[in-house]
Amino acid sequence: MAAFIQCVYFISAVMPYIVGQLIVNARNKGGETIVEKIVANTSADTVTLEFLGSDGSFVTQFIDFKSEVQIFRIYILGEEELGQTQPQVICFITRFMRSDFITADAMSKLRQKNPTAIRTPEEEREMNIYTLDLTINLDKAYMISPYVFNICSEAKDGIYGQESDLRAISKSLDKDFITLISAAAELIPNKYGKCRDTQDLSKPCTCQVHTCIGWYPCGLKYCRGTDSTGKEVNYRCGIKTCKRCLAFVYVASPKMKCLWDF
Ligand SMILES: *[C@@H]1O[C@H](CO)[C@@H](O)[C@H](O)[C@H]1NC(C)=O
């Protein structure tokens, strides 16, 4: 029963409630423990994963399975010496790939035998690099996912998306791409140099934000057993766990809002 080694397992009985929550202590490469909170809402068909990074950034990954949309919201601490007393709040709206997270229903049924255990993922997945070439209009973002408005309403430093993602999302939503993009998004001209090469703090430039989801359930494991009649059956008995780092490349305006990217 190797699948039980991680001690994150399924409760097979029907659960009397629909919102499952998991607190996971994930160890990162630097040896620090990041506490993740993962909440599944099966009636909305959504999952929210949140953590406070070791650099003080607060990251929310929100998955809307119905719209196949994934929203990353990041609070980044300011440079207090430079008068940035408020954190920056940025949203990145991307396409969600079904192979990248277990379903909200499966997530809601996960429990841990030892909730205080420090966990390390079994697999590190390739870095996802998002090149954000759109700004998203908050008031029209419901056309992409009904959850964007609430999650990103504080993202005064920008809501960004990728044209290629929006094209795929419009297909799965069965909406016309041109209508969607002209109402909900605006193309960002691709003409700005990297922030690390830009001296003038008042000029826009191409900035990068990195973060890593240090532990998440990326697939299911099945065990073989026998049912009450003695027939051999496969049943869900555990999860495969992964880590994935993400890079978001977008236009910061001005460079003053991208002081970490040197
Ligand atoms: C779960 O989703 C439903 C439907 O969107 C919503 O009404 C409810 O408030 C959500 N529950 C929680 C705990 O977020």
Side-chain angles (χ1 to χ4, degrees), residues 19 41 43-44 147:
V19 177
N41 183 336
S43 51
Y147 304 99

Side-chain angles (χ1 to χ4, degrees), residues 131-240:
T131 304
L132 292 307
D133 50 5
L134 299 173
T135 54
I136 305 290
N137 176 353
L138 179 65
D139 293 322
K140 292 286 162 58
Y142 64 84
M143 295 173 77
I144 303 169
S145 159
Y147 304 99
V148 179
F149 190 85
N150 275 346
I151 295 167
C152 298
S153 59
E154 278 189 41
K156 56 182 180 355
D157 299 290
I159 305 172
Y160 297 91
Q162 288 189 137
E163 188 181 355
S164 56
D165 280 351
L166 221 55
R167 199 178 281 275
I169 291 164
S170 69
K171 274 211 190 90
S172 54
L173 293 176
D174 203 15
K175 285 185 180 159
D176 178 53
F177 170 64
I178 301 295
T179 310
L180 183 68
I181 194 166
S182 48
E186 212 169 299
L187 263 170
I188 305 170
N190 175 21
K191 62 175 186 189
Y192 300 105
K194 288 184 178 154
C195 287
R196 67 187 65 163
D197 303 329
T198 304
Q199 305 300 324
D200 189 342
L201 291 183
S202 67
K203 289 252 162 71
C205 54
T206 305
C207 183
Q208 282 207 30
V209 169
H210 284 255
T211 192
C212 293
I213 311 296
W215 186 102
Y216 68 94
C218 51
L220 301 177
K221 282 180 181 163
Y222 290 87
C223 294
R224 271 186 170 286
T226 46
D227 67 10
S228 54
T229 67
K231 208 175 84 191
E232 261 202 13
V233 287
N234 282 329
Y235 61 95
R236 293 198 302 215
C237 57
I239 48 167
K240 186 171 157 195

